[in-house]
Structures are given as structure tokens and as C-alpha cells.
Amino acid sequence: MKDFELKNMHLEDIEDLLVKIEKSFDIVFADNELAYVQTFGEMCDHIKGKIQLENKDDCTTQQAFYKLRTAISTSLQINTDELTVNTLLTDLLPRSSRRERTKKIEHELGLKLSLLRPPRFVTGFLTLLLLASFIVVFFNWQIGLAGLGLSIAGLWFSKKTANEIELNTLGELTEKLTKESYLMSRRNPKTYNENEIERILFDWFSKDLGIDKAKLTRDARLT
């Protein structure tokens, strides 16, 4: 359940999210640049002010869908008429050839989709092993270091062989692409739609930080 509020967060809590924002909107935050930001509205306005591009009133999600549909059609030899927002990703990417097909789509699209993940029980176990090994180092450094090496290698290997899909439909993948690669999802990456930025940030802060949407207003305080 999402029951956190923005006022319980600090800049340290949202560092990973800020990295995603930098990548998606092609901006860079300087050290302590956001120290003065006190509300979610100020955060949104500051980010919009950093995007020094021409403002165009068009839909990025629609453009992202067309780009994604074209890439899938070309790389997988599928008629575009068969691809809709409700198309199931498991139909497009059967498990037996999922990684190969995903790489073909990414190559044609020119973007990493970050679509596949390892099974959660695997990453959960390896993460626990990593934490436990770190503690054991203080008591038996040989066993601890062996555990650290095994867990790190396991996490690396599980990421390289990831084959699970969290999303269900092509529409959901389109939304993910729009958020994580906003400018590159647009027909002209030298433009942006200012009206969309706040919605994307709202979704990101809510989903990634588990913040109650009802409490995430422009007046919601960061600290």
C-alpha cells in the first residue's frame, strides 16, 4: 500500500529517481542544486525550466507508440495493423526467444527498453546473501568475502540472463518508454511538451517512492 508522503522524503531518498529524470529529459543536476526546493510544484517547475527546448503541444505517448510499433514490425516482421496498445508482450516475446527478440527491437529502436528482469526470488535470495556476507566479513573474513563474491557474481549473471517481463501490454511498454526516454520517444527530440512533464513526474514520484497520489499535490512539501 502506498502510504508515504513527500514530506517524509529527503533528497537522499530520491537520488535514483533524479538519475532517471536526468537521463529521460537530458538534463544534469549540479550538487545542491535542489537544496532550495521545498514543494513538489517547485520541483516540477525547476525541472521544466531546465529543459531548454522548443515547446510543442503534441502527444509524446502517441509518438512513442508509433516508434515502438514500427521497430517491432520491422525487427520481428509483424504487420503494424496487428499491433495495438492491448497487444500482449508475451505474444510478441515468447519465452524461448524473448531475449533475442528484445535485442532486435532495441537495436531497431536505438534505445534500451530495460524490459526483462530476473525472477524475484533469485534477486531476493542473492540480495540477502550479499547483506549477510557483509556482516560475516567482520567475524570470518574468508567466508564473508566468498559470500560477497558469490552474491555479486550471481546478481551480475542473473541480470545478464534476465528473461521475466513485469509489464503486460504494448501500451504499458509505451508508457514506460515515454517516462524513461522521454525526448528520444518524441518525433523530434529537440522539442518537448511542457504540459506532459508534470504528469510524468507525478507518476514517477508516486510509483517509485510509494507516495499516496491523493497527497502528492503541487503544495506537497519535500521536507
Side-chain angles (χ1 to χ4, degrees):
M1 175 177 285
K2 297 175 180 178
D3 54 4
F4 295 107
E5 294 186 45
L6 190 61
K7 66 183 180 181
N8 301 128
M9 303 291 171
H10 299 278
L11 289 180
E12 295 80 7
D13 300 319
I14 62 175
E15 284 182 354
D16 290 343
L17 183 52
L18 292 179
V19 172
K20 289 183 180 181
I21 291 171
E22 287 181 320
K23 176 180 176 294
S24 186
F25 300 135
D26 193 24
I27 57 178
V28 177
F29 295 112
D31 292 341
N32 299 318
E33 180 177 339
L34 300 174
Y36 79 94
V37 173
Q38 297 183 356
T39 67
F40 178 66
E42 289 179 2
M43 174 76 75
C44 292
D45 293 340
H46 184 83
I47 291 171
K48 286 188 287 186
K50 287 182 68 69
I51 305 175
Q52 301 295 313
L53 298 173
E54 182 182 0
N55 182 34
K56 290 282 189 179
D57 188 20
D58 50 13
C59 180
T60 304
T61 302
Q62 185 181 58
Q63 295 170 31
F65 174 73
Y66 289 144
K67 278 193 170 186
L68 193 54
R69 185 178 68 170
T70 299
I72 293 172
S73 175
T74 302
S75 59
L76 303 184
Q77 302 299 303
I78 299 175
N79 194 312
T80 55
D81 293 338
E82 300 176 22
L83 301 171
T84 71
V85 293
N86 295 317
T87 298
L88 294 177
L89 293 177
T90 50
D91 290 341
L92 295 175
L93 306 170
R95 183 176 293 275
S96 60
S97 58
R98 184 167 294 166
R99 290 181 58 79
E100 178 186 355
R101 284 176 165 241
T102 300
K103 287 180 181 178
K104 286 182 177 180
I105 296 170
E106 290 177 334
H107 178 75
E108 186 65 33
L109 192 62
L111 289 170
K112 293 290 289 184
L113 294 173
S114 300
L115 176 62
L116 306 181
R117 62 165 178 80
R120 291 198 179 280
F121 76 89
V122 172
T123 53
F125 170 76
L126 290 172
T127 300
L128 287 175
L129 177 61
L130 180 66
L131 294 175
S133 299
F134 181 76
I135 295 173
V136 171
V137 165
F138 295 98
F139 302 96
N140 188 316
W141 68 268
Q142 292 175 313
I143 295 177
L145 287 180
L148 286 173
L150 180 62
S151 56
I152 292 172
L155 288 169
W156 176 85
F157 182 75
S158 64
K159 183 178 180 180
K160 289 293 183 181
T161 58
N163 204 33
E164 300 294 320
I165 302 178
E166 280 190 330
L167 306 179
N168 295 312
T169 66
L170 189 54
E172 291 178 11
L173 180 56
T174 299
E175 289 290 340
K176 181 178 187 296
L177 182 64
T178 302
K179 283 198 300 184
E180 296 181 359
S181 301
Y182 178 82
L183 295 182
M184 296 306 296
S185 296
R186 290 182 60 79
R187 186 182 303 110
N188 181 357
K190 297 297 184 182
T191 66
Y192 81 116
N193 184 341
E194 182 178 348
N195 295 325
E196 295 175 332
I197 305 303
E198 195 157 325
R199 176 184 62 81
I200 292 174
L201 293 174
F202 177 85
D203 288 342
W204 243 336
F205 272 74
S206 174
K207 293 178 182 178
D208 282 34
L209 302 179
I211 297 176
D212 186 345
K213 287 187 175 182
K215 298 177 180 178
L216 188 57
T217 65
R218 283 187 59 84
D219 295 328
R221 298 191 68 81
L222 183 60
T223 57

